[in-house]
């Protein structure tokens, strides 16, 4: 069996050579991407931190009411926001919301069109399915290293890693929703002279909206699960106090920061989830 170890395939060395080549020959591109993404996220953070925390919580509550007409969800938003403010983690919460929001926007803008294309071209989905499996199963730290080298320390490598981890959800669920459109429904639209674009926007996307919304919710939850990992490469947010608490074995700080992450996850899940039944509660 010695020949197996003596003839080791240098996959790791090939990857290092590829990353070194990118660092040398495409440094300007990665610096530009890092600057643009970093500027957008910092702008979002500054905008949220410029507002009074109580006013911002009430604004979020108003948006939740407009979306769901549910006093229970509004109460959840208000109580969760005030509790986070009381615990002293409002600044970190706004940083986490900016990171999760930006990652979700990127995932949906890229993932939904890919899912639509994959639903219309089965060969494309079969080609990208192993890549999607790899993106969700490979340990996060494996692609955290090259992103850190390419984009530098800060929020951008955390954002890129979060997008890599979360984007399979909207792709898969968009593909599932579009593929599940009944064939007779599409044939009826075609019989009335619908163009491919009309078929997409007036038949397929409305029918697939629940699945796409589920992809949005899953994307948000997956992005939130990455906040602690992103803190390891310099991203600000609720992940930083968790990492500090772990290093200091500080149970109180770890519990409070973890509770803030849980509250943010619950609120985003309830607010972004599609209202079932179509009738307001309360």
């Amino acid at each position: 069996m010695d020949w197996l170890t003596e003839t080791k395939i240098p996959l790791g060395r090939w990857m290092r050579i590829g990353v070194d080549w990118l660092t040398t020959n495409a440094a300007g591109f990665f610096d530009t991407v890092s600057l643009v993404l970093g500027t957008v996220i910092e702008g979002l953070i500054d905008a949220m931190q410029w507002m009074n925390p109580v006013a911002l919580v009430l604004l979020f509550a108003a948006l939740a009411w407009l979306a769901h007409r549910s006093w229970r969800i509004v109460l959840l938003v208000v109580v969760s926001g005030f509790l986070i403010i009381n615990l002293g983690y409002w600044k970190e919460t706004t940083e986490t919301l900016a990171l999760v929001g930006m990652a979700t926007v990127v995932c949906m803008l890229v993932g939904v069109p890919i899912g639509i294309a994959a639903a219309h071209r089965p060969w494309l989905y079969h080609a990208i399915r192993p890549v999607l499996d790899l993106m969700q199963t490979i340990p996060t730290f494996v692609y955290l290293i090259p992103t850190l080298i390419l984009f530098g320390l800060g929020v951008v490598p955390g954002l890129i890693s979060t997008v890599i981890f979360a984007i399979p959800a909207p792709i898969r669920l968009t593909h599932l929703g579009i593929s599940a459109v009944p064939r007779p429904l599409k044939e009826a639209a075609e019989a009335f002279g619908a163009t491919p674009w009309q078929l997409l926007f007036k038949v397929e996307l409305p029918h697939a909206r629940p699945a796409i919304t589920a992809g949005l919710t899953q994307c948000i939850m997956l992005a939130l699960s990455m906040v602690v990992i992103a803190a390891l490469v310099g991203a600000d947010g609720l992940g930083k106090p968790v990492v500090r608490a772990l290093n200091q074995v500080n149970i109180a700080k770890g519990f409070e920061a973890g509770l803030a992450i849980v509250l943010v996850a619950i609120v985003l899940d309830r607010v972004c989830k599609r209202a079932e039944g179509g009738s307001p509660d309360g």
Side-chain angles (χ1 to χ4, degrees):
M1 300 294 292
D2 291 341
W3 65 274
L4 282 175
T5 56
E6 291 174 356
T7 56
K8 176 184 175 181
I9 302 175
L11 295 177
R13 184 161 59 87
W14 293 343
M15 177 60 70
R16 178 178 57 82
I17 292 173
V19 172
D20 290 343
W21 185 88
L22 289 173
T23 304
T24 303
N25 296 278
F29 169 76
F30 291 110
D31 289 344
T32 302
V33 172
S34 181
L35 178 63
V36 171
L37 294 179
T39 301
V40 173
I41 294 177
E42 290 297 330
L44 290 174
I45 294 173
D46 291 341
M48 285 189 286
Q49 293 182 355
W50 172 80
M51 292 186 65
N52 180 277
V54 175
L56 188 56
V57 170
L58 294 178
L59 175 60
F60 288 155
L63 294 175
W65 172 259
L66 291 175
H68 293 273
R69 293 292 195 274
S70 169
W71 65 266
R72 294 182 179 89
I73 294 179
V74 172
L75 183 62
L76 174 66
V77 172
V78 172
V79 172
S80 300
F82 286 171
L83 180 56
I84 290 172
I85 294 172
N86 178 262
L87 293 174
Y89 288 105
W90 182 251
K91 177 177 178 292
E92 290 82 1
T93 299
T94 57
E95 293 165 348
T96 294
L97 287 174
L99 175 61
V100 172
M102 186 67 181
T104 302
V105 169
V106 173
C107 287
M108 297 304 291
L109 288 178
V110 176
V112 171
I114 293 177
I116 293 172
H120 290 160
R121 299 167 180 82
W123 63 267
L124 177 60
Y125 184 71
H126 290 305
I128 66 175
R129 186 167 57 181
V131 179
L132 299 178
D133 293 337
L134 184 66
M135 291 167 72
Q136 287 194 301
T137 57
I138 191 171
T140 311
F141 293 99
V142 173
Y143 51 77
L144 203 61
I145 298 171
T147 55
L148 178 61
I149 295 173
L150 294 174
F151 295 99
L153 193 67
V155 69
V156 176
L159 172 66
I160 299 298
S161 300
T162 301
V163 169
I164 294 173
F165 181 69
I167 199 171
I171 293 177
R172 290 182 188 277
L173 285 167
T174 301
H175 168 267
L176 178 64
I178 298 295
S179 301
V181 177
R183 183 62 193 169
L185 186 61
K186 294 193 289 186
E187 290 176 348
E190 292 170 350
F192 281 99
T195 65
W197 284 105
Q198 290 174 330
L199 182 65
L200 174 64
F201 284 101
K202 295 186 177 182
V203 177
E204 293 179 331
L205 286 179
H207 189 278
R209 185 171 58 182
I212 296 174
T213 304
L216 171 65
T217 305
Q218 282 198 16
C219 185
I220 292 172
M221 295 301 105
L222 290 170
L224 264 175
S225 70
M226 289 288 292
V227 295
V228 177
I229 303 297
L232 297 176
V233 292
D236 294 325
L238 290 168
K240 269 195 172 181
V242 174
V243 173
R244 291 198 189 106
L246 179 63
N247 293 333
Q248 300 168 2
V249 198
N250 189 327
I251 298 176
K253 179 182 287 188
F255 175 79
E256 291 175 351
L259 177 61
I261 294 175
V262 170
L263 291 174
V264 171
I266 293 174
V267 168
L268 289 177
D269 178 67
R270 295 296 183 273
V271 171
C272 296
K273 186 174 293 184
R274 181 173 178 266
E276 297 180 2
S279 60
D281 72 15

